[in-house]
Amino acid sequence: MTIKEIVSFEELYNRDLTNAVKKNVQKYTDKQGNPQEFSLEYLSWSYGWREMKRIDPEASEKVHEFPMFDNQFRMIEGVTVPYLKTPQGFFVRNTVTFQGKAETEWLPIVEKAKYPVSNPNSFQINTSNKRCFVKALAKHGLGLYLYAGEDMPEDISKPELISEEQVGYLDEILKVVAQATDTDFEILVANIRENTKIQTPFDQLNKNEYGTILNYANRMKLKAEKVQKAKPPEQAAPKKNETKSFTWGEISDE
């Protein structure tokens, strides 16, 4: 590509993208309790790719890959994935090389354009990589104006928290498991936090977090009930000094 063929940053910035823009409308409640809406605009990744290739057929995108870690953050040798897993959340990173210049962008994997996803699925990872590509491309000028003022309002409402009754219900399930397996309540809570990666106190859980933890707690209860049924009759009610500790690992679906 020669210098004469290069499209300037200003030309790219001023391109009309009306027919390629998607809108994502977010609803929130302001500090006065009034319902509001906040609209975010996104450039269709397929349109961005088309325009990029029309201008520079040699343009390319790189989806960065990272080592894969298990639930205890131990690296799995020889396996890479198109996202970065950290204690703070999941991220994707993309580099777009366009007209001889490379621009790189990071993007957290989120839902509803704001809230981090604690355990993203393949669709969410793919979607985040497409959005990250578009933002990296925007650094070259194409569609950059769409990101002006993209930040959500400061008073946007937080996810709805669970009720006291729901907290109590979760506590009751864990108390049943603790009694059936002679396991301290705190150990069960620690096990849940380790395997769900949700560190939020129970009385501050939002509904999505509650669903994940409740599902895991019910699986613990099911496992405890199976262990109780498998015990010989004489072991069903052991004496205090004869009780054996119950080992918890990651709960399987078996």
Side-chain angles (χ1 to χ4, degrees):
M1 175 176 289
T2 64
I3 297 298
K4 291 182 179 179
E5 295 174 318
I6 291 180
V7 180
S8 71
F9 180 92
E10 287 300 322
E11 288 180 277
L12 292 170
Y13 183 86
N14 292 320
R15 288 207 172 198
D16 182 11
L17 306 176
T18 304
N19 295 328
V21 172
K22 295 181 179 180
K23 287 189 176 182
N24 185 349
V25 179
Q26 297 293 311
K27 296 182 180 180
Y28 69 98
T29 303
D30 62 23
K31 293 179 180 179
Q32 289 71 43
N34 301 314
Q36 302 287 347
E37 287 188 352
F38 182 74
S39 180
L40 295 175
E41 294 185 329
Y42 298 100
L43 173 65
S44 166
W45 76 268
S46 58
Y47 181 92
W49 183 267
R50 185 187 72 184
E51 291 302 296
M52 180 183 76
K53 284 294 189 178
R54 280 178 172 177
I55 298 168
D56 179 8
E58 297 179 0
S60 62
E61 175 203 13
K62 177 181 179 180
V63 177
H64 293 263
E65 295 194 346
F66 304 88
M68 185 175 184
F69 292 85
D70 61 19
N71 290 333
Q72 283 72 45
F73 281 92
R74 294 174 300 197
M75 187 175 71
I76 301 175
E77 293 186 10
V79 180
T80 59
V81 288
Y83 58 85
L84 176 63
K85 179 180 180 181
T86 75
Q88 290 73 36
F90 290 77
F91 299 83
V92 295
R93 185 187 185 194
N94 297 60
T95 295
V96 172
T97 302
F98 182 47
Q99 299 192 126
K101 184 178 180 181
E103 293 286 0
T104 298
E105 180 69 20
W106 285 90
L107 197 68
I109 300 179
V110 298
E111 60 181 346
K112 298 183 179 179
K114 186 173 178 68
Y115 304 110
V117 179
S118 59
N119 188 26
N121 56 40
S122 57
F123 178 81
Q124 292 168 322
I125 294 169
N126 180 67
T127 297
S128 293
N129 269 303
K130 297 301 184 187
R131 290 178 178 173
C132 196
F133 155 70
V134 174
K135 293 196 76 170
L137 179 62
K139 285 187 172 181
H140 293 278
L142 189 62
L144 180 62
Y145 74 89
L146 295 172
Y147 297 97
E150 71 168 346
D151 294 339
M152 300 290 271
E154 291 184 1
D155 60 357
I156 190 168
S157 61
K158 296 180 180 179
E160 185 178 352
L161 302 184
I162 62 175
S163 65
E164 291 183 7
E165 289 75 13
Q166 288 173 307
V167 175
Y169 179 65
L170 181 57
D171 284 345
E172 287 302 317
I173 291 177
L174 293 184
K175 287 177 182 178
V176 170
V177 176
Q179 183 176 9
T181 61
D182 193 35
T183 304
D184 289 341
F185 185 89
E186 291 74 15
I187 293 178
L188 296 179
V189 173
N191 176 270
I192 287 178
R193 288 176 174 167
E194 178 182 355
N195 288 289
T196 65
K197 304 305 176 185
I198 297 175
Q199 304 299 319
T200 310
F202 285 175
D203 60 353
Q204 297 177 29
L205 292 171
N206 62 47
K207 290 188 174 181
N208 288 335
E209 292 173 327
Y210 178 71
T212 299
I213 287 182
L214 183 62
N215 177 61
Y216 193 86
N218 277 322
R219 289 161 63 193
M220 293 177 92
K221 182 181 177 183
L222 180 62
K223 181 178 180 181
E225 290 173 345
K226 288 182 177 180
V227 170
Q228 283 292 94
K229 290 180 180 179
K231 286 183 178 180
E234 63 273 11
Q235 296 183 13
K239 296 180 181 179
K240 184 175 181 180
N241 295 332
E242 296 178 353
T243 303
K244 295 183 178 179
S245 60
F246 192 89
T247 302
W248 288 103
E250 184 174 358
I251 304 298
S252 66
D253 292 325
E254 297 180 357

